[in-house]
Amino acid sequence: GIITQSFPVEATLGGDMKSAIVIVDPSSQGKGLRINMFFPRAQDHPNVQRMGDIIRLFNVKISAYKGVLCGTMQRSIGSKFE
């Protein structure tokens, strides 16, 4: 997907580091999908250089939160990106 928004890495109460991005598929008319990422270290998160960067995501859990679809990535489910 194409990154349209990026949120900085921050610590969680559980000890992980969290960041988030919003990605879109240019072939669709959607608003984008927010992906929340939970990894042990800040350097485990994607280094977004600029909006418009392309990212491939693997093993993302998709669920509804307050009626809105979002994705979750974490090491325990084998999530990764490139």
Side-chain angles (χ1 to χ4, degrees):
I2 296 175
I3 299 173
T4 60
Q5 284 184 279
S6 177
F7 301 90
V9 176
E10 60 187 18
T12 67
L13 296 176
D16 277 340
M17 301 299 286
K18 175 192 175 196
S19 69
I21 58 174
V22 176
I23 59 171
V24 296
D25 177 349
S27 67
S28 72
Q29 299 297 322
K31 294 181 182 180
L33 179 66
R34 182 182 174 112
I35 307 293
N36 296 306
M37 302 180 185
F38 299 90
F39 295 111
R41 304 172 305 161
Q43 59 265 36
D44 295 333
H45 293 256
N47 182 15
V48 178
Q49 297 294 316
R50 63 187 176 281
M51 298 309 102
D53 281 355
I54 296 171
I55 191 167
R56 290 178 60 187
L57 307 175
F58 302 89
N59 297 330
V60 178
K61 179 182 176 185
I62 304 295
S63 58
Y65 178 73
K66 295 185 179 178
V68 178
L69 287 180
C70 63
T72 302
M73 296 181 69
Q74 51 194 113
R75 183 161 303 216
S76 64
I77 61 172
S79 298
K80 64 180 184 173
F81 57 87
E82 48 180 59

